[in-house]
Amino acid sequence: DTAVSQTPKYLVTQMGNDKSIKCEQNLGHDTMYWYKQDSKKFLKIMFSYNNKELIINETVPNRFSPKSPDKAHLNLHINSLELGDSAVYFCASSQGWKRQRRGDTQYFGPGTRLTVL
Amino acid sequence: GDSVTQMEGPVTLSEEAFLTINCTYTATGYPSLFWYVQYPGEGLQLLLKATKADDKGSNKGFEATYRKETTSFHLEKGSVQVSDSAVYFCALLIQGAQKLVFGQGTRLTINP
């Protein structure tokens, strides 16, 4: 009954490869997010989707491409991986952007630790 | 732009000590404020939140009060336990922007 799940939990790969991280939420939320946590634990938004529509893209390199096949899923595909992509990637979801709720709480997945060698 | 500044860590305390982790913010609008906690090897969990000035959020013995006049949201707990050892993040959310802006995190270690 996990609320926000991500796969895989760990991903080790070589520079130049292409990889994907999957995220699913069973909370019935409309909005999903990707955040990146660097080695110093700093967290920054990358993307946000509302009901399959992209609403936030925070100047992320276009090697990163999110895809939302339906509102319960938001996947992250990364092309031509670089050493600097090594980080923990968190997926999150919330009830919704369009509902304009104050304090709209975001619920986070367990994270995917990506290591690029 | 919007930003959050947290007290520098790491913070090390003995069990049953009083905890304060300072958090101040700069925001272009009227934000909601959150504290999230990250236990080792896990994702972020919501600890508490406050959506308007003078609101107090509380959970598991932790409290924080939304102070608009000082743009602060300090986290407090009267008596910490070893199990409180984690990284704590203060964050703000501008209504309509729907992205959390996080502080840099404060690592807390509680010794028995």
Side-chain angles (χ1 to χ4, degrees):
Chain A
D1 59 344
T2 305
V4 182
S5 59
Q6 294 179 230
T7 53
K9 191 167 172 62
Y10 300 97
L11 188 50
V12 181
T13 189
Q14 300 287 334
M15 238 179 5
N17 284 350
D18 303 338
K19 289 293 177 187
S20 292
I21 305 171
K22 296 188 177 193
C23 178
E24 176 180 2
Q25 55 94 3
N26 63 5
L27 296 167
H29 288 167
D30 287 341
T31 307
M32 295 184 72
Y33 311 81
W34 279 109
Y35 286 85
K36 180 179 179 180
Q37 185 175 46
D38 64 22
S39 58
K40 295 185 178 177
K41 295 285 192 185
F42 186 68
L43 278 149
K44 193 165 192 288
I45 183 85
M46 299 174 69
F47 300 104
S48 171
Y49 268 73
N50 186 75
N51 206 4
K52 304 193 294 175
E53 177 187 350
L54 179 68
I55 55 173
I56 294 174
N57 181 342
E58 285 284 304
T59 59
V60 176
N62 57 15
R63 298 182 295 104
F64 289 78
S65 52
K67 284 190 172 52
S68 182
D70 55 62
K71 75 174 193 177
H73 296 84
L74 180 61
N75 303 323
L76 184 64
H77 188 75
I78 316 169
N79 289 326
S80 304
L81 278 155
E82 300 177 358
L83 293 176
D85 297 332
S86 295
V88 181
Y89 292 85
F90 287 102
C91 178
S93 72
S94 71
Q95 283 198 326
W97 171 71
K98 287 189 175 177
R99 299 187 199 187
Q100 294 288 302
R101 294 165 55 94
R102 284 196 66 77
D104 185 33
T105 299
Q106 295 183 19
Y107 295 87
F108 284 77
T112 296
R113 182 175 294 277
L114 171 64
T115 303
V116 182
L117 303 175
Chain B
D2 304 322
S3 66
V4 175
T5 303
Q6 281 181 239
M7 175 173 163
E8 285 281 339
V11 173
T12 302
L13 295 172
S14 297
E15 209 166 17
E16 299 183 5
F18 183 85
L19 169 71
T20 301
I21 301 177
N22 289 339
C23 171
T24 57
Y25 68 89
T26 303
T28 49
Y30 184 9
S32 296
L33 301 172
F34 299 80
W35 277 100
Y36 279 86
V37 58
Q38 185 177 26
Y39 297 103
E42 297 185 15
L44 281 79
Q45 299 176 24
L46 176 69
L47 183 58
L48 54 84
K49 70 180 185 183
T51 59
K52 60 185 189 297
D54 300 324
D55 266 2
K56 179 187 280 189
S58 61
N59 186 25
K60 299 182 182 179
F62 290 90
E63 292 183 341
T65 301
Y66 190 139
R67 300 285 188 207
K68 197 173 180 189
E69 64 276 11
T70 54
T71 61
S72 65
F73 193 53
H74 305 319
L75 183 68
E76 295 183 336
K77 186 174 186 183
S79 176
V80 292
Q81 306 300 313
V82 172
S83 57
D84 294 328
S85 298
V87 181
Y88 291 80
F89 293 92
C90 185
L92 66 81
L93 179 74
I94 301 291
Q95 189 173 350
Q98 290 310 106
K99 63 176 184 181
L100 283 168
V101 175
F102 285 92
Q104 71 270 38
T106 302
R107 183 178 298 278
L108 173 67
T109 302
I110 307 300
N111 293 322

